[in-house]
Amino acid sequence: MVKARIPAPRRSLLLGASALLGTSALLVACGAPGSPSAAGDAAHRTAAPSASTSASGPTDGGSSVAARPTPGEDARTSASPAPTASGSPTPAAPSSSPYAPPSAARTTAPAQPGAGSTPGASAPATHAPAPATGVLRHTASGGRTVALTFDDGPGPATGRVLDLLAQYGAKATFCEIGDNAKARPATVQRIVAEGHRLCDHTVDHPQPMHAQTHEQQVAEIRDAKADIERAAGGSPTITWWRAPGGDFTAENERIGADFGMKSLGWTVDPRDWARPGVQAIVSDVQRNLRPGGVVLMHDGGGDRSQTVAALEQLLPWMVAQGYVFDFPQS
């Protein structure tokens, strides 16, 4: 049988087509660039190392990929304190002062839900209380006057504070803890007898005040007033109340008003409760006092020797500056 001969030009064309078909098949089997399987291989090669891999990586300050938490790992793990250069966790920031004014966060209205929020989603468990609007922070007479106020007493230092005030003919307002007034009635009576004024500073200085239930806030303000009045004897006038830490809200301001008292704030706080040093207390008051100002200091709640020593310098300085001692506005 005679085989038909294929002309050379046609044979070359057929061989080229076969080669092309073979290459395509090979590319399909191995994964051509841009195909799903090739993309998966590339992703696998560039995937971030696991937590165990990065933990054993270089620590010379070079760049590295942050380890990602293992799927299903408790999210709280990522909130752990970051280690310092020595390897120990960075200490948490110190808590705010027990006497410091409330932070702005407590008087900020909660954020409103965005347009993309889920309808019917539950609101946050807590919300910022409405701030008070009638807190007094000025003297009664104005002009070049100053109102001295002392918190958390009566205490062991109150007698010495009274001695100094008498020496300079100064009058002051004592914001008293109900429990302390019950424990030191003779001191409360001396305060009144020497022409000073009394202020309700709650039964036992709860903080934060706004976190107490309404009934608890009522009891703290009402019962302290009754304790101070009993300790003083007679019928002393208690014109003001002061929230622990200055934590005034519209709610507790209203409670104080219901018991015939106004909310008393301050304009100068030398943080003497923290015992920063006598000169620090003196310098703070001298730097920040303005005519008509209300100065916050402490005669109770701890060691007040620094406050007494600072007062020994501040009283003659105030007199030399032409200040007249006054009570807060009422």
Side-chain angles (χ1 to χ4, degrees):
M1 180 176 184
V2 179
K3 295 181 179 180
R5 292 180 58 87
I6 302 173
R10 188 176 299 176
R11 185 168 58 247
S12 298
L13 181 61
L14 290 174
L15 289 174
S18 299
L20 182 60
L21 289 172
T23 302
S24 300
L26 182 61
L27 288 174
V28 170
C30 297
S35 68
S37 58
D41 289 344
H44 178 76
R45 288 194 300 271
T46 59
S50 66
S52 59
T53 302
S54 64
S56 60
T59 58
D60 59 359
S63 62
S64 61
V65 179
R68 293 178 293 183
T70 304
E73 183 180 19
D74 191 332
R76 287 172 296 184
T77 305
S78 61
S80 301
T84 61
S86 62
S88 58
T90 303
S95 59
S96 60
S97 141
Y99 298 102
S103 65
R106 289 210 297 263
T107 59
T108 301
Q112 297 300 317
S117 59
T118 305
S122 59
T126 59
H127 63 279
T133 57
V135 180
L136 305 178
R137 307 179 193 276
H138 202 273
T139 60
S141 304
R144 200 165 186 79
T145 58
V146 57
L148 300 176
T149 66
F150 296 90
D151 279 15
D152 299 346
T158 307
R160 182 58 182 144
V161 169
L162 289 169
D163 291 343
L164 288 169
L165 294 174
Q167 183 179 341
Y168 290 93
K171 300 304 178 186
T173 301
F174 289 81
C175 298
E176 300 190 328
I177 300 294
D179 286 346
N180 290 346
K182 287 194 298 184
R184 296 176 181 271
T187 304
V188 180
Q189 291 163 22
R190 179 185 170 186
I191 289 171
V192 175
E194 295 185 5
H196 305 290
R197 301 281 179 87
L198 298 173
C199 168
D200 179 332
H201 198 34
T202 72
V203 172
D204 54 10
H205 209 279
Q207 283 191 275
M209 182 75 173
H210 79 278
Q212 307 290 307
T213 66
H214 180 80
E215 291 73 18
Q216 288 172 328
Q217 294 186 68
V218 168
E220 285 285 342
I221 297 170
R222 176 198 62 210
D223 295 352
K225 184 174 186 287
D227 291 339
I228 297 167
E229 288 173 340
R230 279 193 293 268
S235 301
T237 300
I238 301 180
T239 306
W240 311 274
W241 86 283
R242 175 174 279 168
D247 190 7
F248 291 105
T249 65
E251 179 182 21
N252 58 43
E253 182 181 34
R254 180 71 259 169
I255 295 170
D258 288 343
F259 291 102
M261 298 179 292
K262 297 184 178 180
S263 301
L264 178 57
W266 59 84
T267 60
V268 182
D269 175 14
R271 297 172 62 84
D272 63 313
W273 59 268
R275 300 191 292 277
V278 175
Q279 198 52 49
I281 298 170
V282 171
S283 297
D284 192 294
V285 175
Q286 291 178 341
R287 182 172 59 253
N288 294 300
L289 180 60
R290 301 290 182 273
V294 179
V295 179
L296 166 65
M297 299 180 81
H298 294 77
D299 66 318
D303 177 6
R304 299 301 169 224
S305 56
Q306 289 187 11
T307 301
V308 171
L311 200 59
E312 291 175 338
Q313 298 183 45
L314 287 169
L315 287 170
W317 175 82
M318 290 175 180
V319 171
Q321 295 296 311
Y323 278 99
V324 175
F325 299 100
D326 196 7
F327 294 114
Q329 64 190 119
S330 59

